Amino acid sequence: KLAFRDGGDFSKINNALERIADHIVNIVQRLGSFDSMLTFQRLKTMFEDAQTMFHDGMSALAGGDSAKAQSVIAMDLKMDENLIKLTEEVMSFLREKPRTIKNAISALLIGRDLERVADITTNIAEDTIYMVQGEVTKRGAQPETDTRNHYYH
């Protein structure tokens, strides 16, 4: 089902997976000094959503399933919204308990890394659709005919 258009497709996906791994390392390191996940329940939702997106994105890639890839792309907006809400919650928390700044900053950084994992997974899903259907699918972008300048952000 997948049509790898050139060797760059493998390289882009490999680079994306390496970047995801880097973000996961950051998350694990930050969790070591994180006091309480209960304080920021939204992080739990973000962890679950990022895990689902990654699983579904890899499944879509392996199976050449453009419909599943499209569902990953649709979930990205929810992740973006959750990061905004997490930021608002952390700011409110800091106003009430300013002595917890280390935990609050950790929550923000973990949330940002989770959102980046979701973004990179979304890019893989977009590339999966391209490899299956030959169509460029980018969040909020107009259709393109040339993807040579398509990079993971």
Side-chain angles (χ1 to χ4, degrees):
K1 283 184 166 179
L2 289 177
F4 288 95
R5 311 239 179 249
D6 58 43
D9 291 336
F10 284 119
S11 179
K12 283 171 44 178
I13 291 168
N14 183 61
N15 289 339
L17 292 173
E18 287 177 7
R19 291 185 59 220
I20 287 171
D22 290 342
H23 286 290
I24 301 229
V25 167
N26 291 341
I27 290 167
V28 169
Q29 289 172 341
R30 288 184 180 108
L31 283 174
S33 64
F34 194 62
D35 292 336
S36 174
M37 186 68 77
L38 297 175
T39 305
F40 301 106
Q41 285 291 316
R42 189 164 311 277
L43 275 179
K44 183 176 185 250
T45 300
M46 292 178 76
F47 270 107
E48 291 167 353
D49 289 349
Q51 182 179 1
T52 298
M53 288 178 73
F54 183 77
H55 177 270
D56 289 354
M58 295 304 100
S59 177
L61 177 64
D65 186 341
S66 59
K68 188 172 273 192
Q70 193 63 48
S71 74
V72 170
I73 294 168
M75 286 184 70
D76 188 53
L77 181 59
K78 180 180 175 189
M79 262 320 240
D80 295 342
E81 291 170 355
N82 275 328
L83 182 59
I84 291 167
K85 290 177 183 174
L86 175 66
T87 302
E88 293 167 356
E89 289 172 10
V90 167
M91 297 307 288
S92 175
F93 184 77
L94 281 173
R95 280 189 287 278
E96 296 169 15
K97 299 179 182 181
R99 294 178 188 244
T100 59
I101 193 165
K102 183 176 180 183
N103 201 40
I105 289 173
S106 291
L108 283 175
L109 294 173
I110 291 167
R112 185 196 64 190
D113 280 321
L114 289 168
E115 192 274 334
R116 293 299 303 131
V117 167
D119 280 345
I120 297 166
T121 301
T122 298
N123 291 336
I124 293 171
E126 292 167 349
D127 285 344
T128 298
I129 292 170
Y130 176 70
M131 288 184 276
V132 172
Q133 299 177 348
E135 297 174 10
V136 175
T137 305
K138 294 188 63 107
R139 297 156 287 188
Q142 297 299 317
E144 299 176 13
T145 56
D146 183 2
T147 61
R148 287 178 288 181
N149 291 322
H150 176 74
Y151 295 102
Y152 296 113
H153 52 278

